[in-house]
C-alpha cells in the first residue's frame, strides 16, 4: 500500500489526473444514477464526466503545486531529488544519499507544518461534509452511505496524521544520527 501511495504522490500531474478522474467519474455517475434512476442515462454520464474532470484536475493541480513547493523549500536542483526525498520520507526512512540529509530535514519541517494544518482542519471538513450528506439524506436515503463515510473519515484523518508524524520523527532521528 505504501508503494502505491508513493507512486501517486510523486507521479506526473497527467497520471494523477487520469488515475483519479476516471474512477471518480465512474463512481459519481453510478451514484447519480442510483439516486435518481428516472433521470435517464445522459444526466449520470455527463455528471460523472464533469465531476471526474473537476476532481482529477484539482488533484493534479494540487499535486504539482505541492511538488513545486517542496522543490523550492528544499533548494534541491532536480525533480528527481525531490521525488527521492518524498519517497524516503513517505516510507519512514532517511534518504540513501547522505548529501540529501539537509534537504530532508527542511522537507520534514515543511511536512510538520502541513500535518498541523491537516490535524486541525481535516476532521472539521469531514464533519461539515457529513452534515451536508445528512441534510441530503433527509430526502434521499442513499445519502446515509455518505454520512457514514464522512463520519468514519474523522478518526481516519486523525490516525493518518499521527502515523505520518511518527514516520517524520523516525526519519529525522535517523538523519540526525548520521551527523552527531
Amino acid at each position: 500500500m505504501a508503494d502505491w501511495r508513493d507512486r501517486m504522490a510523486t507521479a506526473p500531474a497527467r497520471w494523477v489526473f487520469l488515475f483519479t478522474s476516471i474512477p471518480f467519474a465512474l463512481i459519481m455517475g453510478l451514484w447519480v444514477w442510483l439516486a435518481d434512476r428516472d433521470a435517464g442515462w445522459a444526466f449520470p454520464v455527463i455528471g460523472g464526466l464533469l465531476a471526474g474532470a473537476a476532481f482529477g484536475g484539482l488533484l493534479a493541480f494540487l499535486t504539482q503545486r505541492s511538488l513545486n513547493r517542496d522543490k523550492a523549500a528544499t533548494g534541491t536542483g532536480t525533480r528527481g531529488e525531490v521525488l527521492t526525498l518524498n519517497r524516503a520520507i513517505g516510507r519512514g526512512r532517511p534518504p540513501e544519499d547522505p548529501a540529501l540529509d539537509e534537504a530532508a530535514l527542511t522537507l520534514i519541517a515543511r511536512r510538520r507544518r502541513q500535518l498541523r494544518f491537516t490535524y486541525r482542519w481535516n476532521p472539521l471538513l469531514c464533519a461539515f461534509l457529513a452534515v451536508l450528506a445528512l441534510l441530503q439524506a433527509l430526502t434521499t436515503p442513499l445519502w446515509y452511505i455518505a454520512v457514514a463515510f464522512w463520519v468514519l473519515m474523522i478518526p481516519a484523518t486523525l490516525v493518518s496524521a499521527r502515523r505520518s508524524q511518527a514516520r517524520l520523527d523516525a526519519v529525522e532521528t535517523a538523519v540526525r544520527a548520521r551527523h552527531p
Side-chain angles (χ1 to χ4, degrees):
M1 182 71 152
D3 272 349
W4 179 83
R5 284 193 315 242
D6 288 344
R7 285 192 297 267
M8 281 308 290
T10 57
R14 65 184 173 277
W15 289 107
V16 172
F17 176 77
L18 285 175
F19 286 112
T20 56
S21 63
I22 293 171
F24 194 77
L26 293 173
I27 290 168
M28 290 307 294
L30 179 62
W31 185 268
V32 170
W33 179 75
L34 287 173
D36 187 12
R37 293 185 188 178
D38 297 332
W41 65 270
F43 186 67
V45 169
I46 293 169
L49 290 173
L50 290 174
F55 184 70
L58 177 66
L59 281 184
F61 168 75
L62 292 175
T63 301
Q64 188 61 46
R65 186 179 76 168
S66 180
L67 194 58
N68 291 342
R69 287 182 176 182
D70 288 349
K71 189 175 177 182
T74 59
T76 56
T78 66
R79 182 178 196 273
E81 289 175 345
V82 174
L83 297 179
T84 299
L85 287 171
N86 277 330
R87 286 188 183 112
I89 290 172
R91 291 180 179 137
R93 298 183 209 131
E96 292 179 12
D97 184 3
L100 295 175
D101 285 352
E102 192 62 38
L105 292 174
T106 304
L107 191 58
I108 289 169
R110 177 170 147 62
R111 291 286 180 267
R112 283 205 171 108
R113 287 190 301 275
Q114 289 173 322
L115 280 175
R116 281 193 296 274
F117 181 85
T118 298
Y119 195 77
R120 182 179 302 129
W121 292 104
N122 279 6
L124 293 174
L125 175 64
C126 291
F128 175 74
L129 292 171
V131 169
L132 288 180
L134 182 61
L135 292 174
Q136 187 68 29
L138 297 176
T139 61
T140 308
L142 181 66
W143 281 88
Y144 283 112
I145 296 170
V147 173
F149 173 78
W150 290 116
V151 167
L152 290 173
M153 285 303 293
I154 294 170
T157 60
L158 297 172
V159 168
S160 176
R162 291 287 183 197
R163 286 182 178 170
S164 295
Q165 183 66 41
R167 277 194 305 272
L168 292 176
D169 292 343
V171 174
E172 183 179 29
T173 302
V175 167
R176 292 196 187 282
R178 282 193 219 181
H179 308 282

